[in-house]
Amino acid sequence: MLGGAVLPASLAESSASSRGETFRPENLVAFNGISQHMFERLVGERFAVSSGGHSLGAMTLISVSELAPHKSAAKNLRMVGRVPHPSSPRFAGFAVRFQGTAPALSQGTYTLQNPSVGELPLLLVPSGPGATPDTYTAVFGFLAA
């Protein structure tokens, strides 16, 4: 998962351990049924934000956008001989953007809670220094069959 929900176990463990938390694969159950369509229905809703059991305020979901797969530059390469055509997995993904009403947060994994979806641990990436208002993005990426 890119920038958002499901991280490779090694990355999730290092991120969780830096916060004094332990990554557990069973926590991934929270992402069953997550989809772009589900988040689109929640635009405008508020999410409580917490970390380590401490409330950090609230955020409002302000947008959901589909991520387009990266176009390979390999099509422009000129090669002599047989050119392999690798079968790469298809990527599907979307990004959700929140506007914060809490004090500014650094990049990290936070628990967002909303009555419609329950609790979700998300890696939130801030919009950048000096951005007004504070916005945060979480990216969901999936390999499609």
Side-chain angles (χ1 to χ4, degrees):
M1 193 96 218
L2 300 174
V6 182
L7 297 171
S10 60
L11 289 176
E13 287 172 4
S14 65
S15 174
S17 65
S18 68
R19 295 188 180 277
E21 301 170 7
T22 302
F23 173 78
R24 295 185 310 251
E26 59 270 17
N27 291 344
L28 298 179
V29 171
F31 297 102
N32 287 346
I34 293 294
S35 69
Q36 179 177 342
H37 178 69
M38 183 214 63
F39 275 106
E40 288 171 341
R41 294 186 324 230
L42 300 175
V43 170
E45 289 197 24
R46 292 175 62 85
F47 288 74
V49 181
S50 64
S51 178
H54 298 90
S55 175
L56 299 173
M59 293 186 182
T60 301
L61 179 60
I62 58 173
S63 69
V64 179
S65 56
E66 183 174 5
L67 300 176
H70 177 67
K71 302 270 189 215
S72 174
K75 292 180 182 179
N76 297 327
L77 294 178
R78 295 179 187 254
M79 297 179 76
V80 176
R82 275 182 70 135
V83 178
H85 296 287
S87 60
S88 60
R90 295 176 359 148
F91 173 81
F94 63 96
V96 293
R97 193 163 156 231
F98 297 91
Q99 182 173 333
T101 58
L105 302 173
S106 60
Q107 178 174 314
T109 303
Y110 298 92
T111 301
L112 276 66
Q113 194 276 331
N114 173 283
S116 299
V117 296
E119 290 187 355
L120 291 174
L122 295 180
L123 173 62
L124 296 177
V125 179
S127 51
T132 303
D134 290 325
T135 60
Y136 303 87
T137 303
V139 176
F140 294 81
F142 307 94
L143 291 178

